[in-house]
Amino acid sequence: MLAKIEQLLQEVKALTAQNPDELEALRIKYLSKKGAINALMADFRNVPAEQKKEVGMKLNELKNLAQERIAALKETFENQDNSAAELDLTRTAYPIKLGTRHPLTIVRNEIIDIFGRMGFTIADGPEVEDDWHVFSSMNFPEDHPARDMQDTFFIETHPDIILRTHTSSVQSRVMEVSQPPIRVICPGRVYRNEAISYRAHCFFHQVEGLYVDKNVSFTDLKQVLLQFAQEMFGPDTKIRLRPSYFPFTEPSAEMDISCDICGGEGCPFCKYTGWVEILGCGMVDPAVLEANGIDSKVYTGYAFGMGVERITNLKYKVKDLRMFSENDTRFLEEFESAN
């Protein structure tokens, strides 16, 4: 046994390999389960008791030396400069351009950052939803037009499974499992069965917000939206709120900002009104709070929602909504400086 070990020691000390394949063959020969060293380990039980200590020490020396030698050879191959062999002579000589963030991503992240600094956290939910979270919990009556096939993509019926038409469904899911204070924004993709044109698409992106707590007022909503508008469009931006209707808020309003092109003087972009609509908002209807397990006699809240494409159009003067999803690199390259 000692003679065999000594012979293998000499072989291991002299190990060399010309390439990784030869090295792997050596590893299998000496260190695999059926290798020479493991064969000696298996014969160790036949060694006389008085020789076990000496033989055991020699076996460990042999195994450690084999592992170190093969590891050293492997490191040598890894450190070799193989760049010339891997050179792709068919690759263009021009530098490979780095990509950039999509304009919708730029604006969405900016919206999230603004509201994040006002204490809002991000909430997310599924894009394939049920009727309850999209419509019923949001106080939509059974005969509301949004439930019709002309507006909503239905996946299944009875029960209705749909592609969400707004991210209000996320607000519903948050209220189901949380008690006030609740302060969240819900960014995400939504779907509506609309004809695709320069101003509409069958899918787009929204950011909705919800704040529920004791003594929340319309004044709080107005101040938050004014702060958002001035952060997004500039410190001189003014806002106005016009009465409107939404099933899930009461009172409800549409919010306009002063046109940042003409400064409110009137131009073709704002149709000479001096104002541009950007979002809808209002105080959360008590029926919505009750439907989602929140006591409307104790808590009040406000909600708002905006289209990311709409804000991007206003911020960067993009005239055709379809450009955001056409993957035209010439268009996308225009936003490199915005990153």
Side-chain angles (χ1 to χ4, degrees):
M1 173 72 77
L2 287 173
K4 289 181 181 179
I5 294 173
E6 188 61 35
Q7 180 183 350
L8 287 176
L9 276 171
Q10 298 306 316
E11 290 181 14
V12 168
K13 289 178 182 179
L15 283 183
T16 58
Q18 301 301 317
N19 53 59
D21 290 337
E22 288 187 11
L23 179 62
E24 178 63 11
L26 292 174
R27 187 194 68 79
I28 293 172
K29 177 180 179 182
Y30 291 102
L31 293 174
S32 67
K33 289 183 178 180
K34 295 182 179 180
I37 295 176
N38 268 351
L40 289 177
M41 293 284 190
D43 288 341
F44 181 73
R45 61 177 175 271
N46 298 322
V47 174
E50 63 274 13
Q51 295 181 5
K52 280 188 179 291
K53 182 177 180 181
E54 181 182 3
V55 172
M57 292 175 63
K58 279 290 185 179
L59 269 176
N60 285 332
E61 180 186 353
L62 172 61
K63 184 177 181 180
N64 291 337
L65 180 62
Q67 289 175 336
E68 291 171 4
R69 183 60 183 161
I70 289 176
L73 289 171
K74 182 179 180 181
E75 185 177 354
T76 300
F77 288 125
E78 289 176 348
N79 291 335
Q80 286 180 349
D81 183 10
N82 294 320
S83 59
E86 296 172 358
L87 180 63
D88 182 3
L89 298 178
T90 65
R91 192 179 70 179
T92 176
Y94 296 104
I96 298 174
K97 295 183 66 175
L98 294 177
T100 183
R101 288 183 299 166
H102 193 279
L104 295 181
T105 302
I106 295 171
V107 172
R108 184 197 63 189
N109 290 348
E110 189 171 354
I111 294 171
I112 291 172
D113 178 65
I114 292 171
F115 284 107
R117 285 186 272 113
M118 289 191 278
F120 288 80
T121 58
I122 297 175
D124 194 15
E127 295 181 9
V128 179
E129 265 287 11
D130 54 47
D131 177 273
W132 168 258
H133 290 100
V134 176
F135 294 130
S136 298
S137 66
M138 290 290 114
N139 201 36
F140 281 78
E142 289 292 334
D143 58 352
H144 195 280
R147 294 175 181 263
D148 197 292
M149 289 289 289
Q150 65 181 350
D151 292 323
T152 305
F153 288 107
F154 282 78
I155 307 299
E156 297 177 8
T157 56
H158 309 299
D160 289 340
I161 304 298
I162 61 180
L163 296 180
R164 65 184 183 188
T165 59
H166 50 198
T167 55
S168 300
S169 57
V170 183
Q171 298 181 20
S172 174
R173 288 186 175 275
V174 170
M175 287 188 284
E176 278 182 342
V177 298
S178 307
Q179 283 296 307
I182 297 171
R183 193 194 299 256
V184 296
I185 53 173
C186 313
R189 186 186 291 110
V190 298
Y191 306 84
R192 294 182 188 175
N193 190 9
E194 298 184 1
I196 298 174
S197 68
Y198 75 97
R199 57 179 301 173
H201 211 295
C202 61
F203 71 88
F204 56 99
H205 301 79
Q206 281 189 335
V207 175
E208 295 196 17
L210 173 70
Y211 178 38
V212 181
D213 203 350
K214 295 179 180 178
N215 303 316
V216 177
S217 69
F218 201 94
T219 303
D220 300 323
L221 169 62
K222 181 179 179 181
Q223 186 58 41
V224 164
L225 294 181
L226 175 62
Q227 181 70 24
F228 163 73
Q230 292 180 341
E231 290 264 1
M232 177 62 71
F233 297 103
D236 296 328
T237 303
K238 298 179 177 60
I239 68 170
R240 72 174 184 182
L241 299 172
R242 294 177 287 105
S244 186
Y245 167 77
F246 302 109
F248 35 82
T249 53
E250 180 61 38
S252 304
E254 300 279 0
M255 190 183 95
D256 304 330
I257 62 167
S258 55
C259 180
D260 60 343
I261 293 179
C262 64
E265 297 296 325
C267 68
F269 184 78
C270 62
K271 300 179 181 178
Y272 298 98
T273 64
W275 298 94
V276 181
E277 177 189 332
I278 67 166
L279 58 83
C281 60
M283 298 300 293
V284 180
D285 193 300
V288 173
L289 295 176
E290 294 291 343
N292 289 281
I294 295 176
D295 190 345
S296 63
K297 296 180 175 61
V298 178
Y299 298 102
T300 56
Y302 62 69
F304 56 85
M306 67 191 79
V308 179
E309 282 85 347
R310 177 68 170 166
I311 302 298
T312 308
N313 282 348
L314 296 174
K315 192 171 180 66
Y316 295 117
K317 312 302 182 290
V318 179
K319 296 181 180 180
D320 193 331
L321 197 70
R322 293 169 293 191
M323 298 178 73
F324 292 128
S325 55
E326 289 179 346
N327 295 324
D328 188 331
T329 56
R330 295 169 300 177
F331 168 70
L332 298 176
E333 285 169 357
E334 296 178 14
F335 297 89
E336 288 182 351
S337 61
N339 284 268

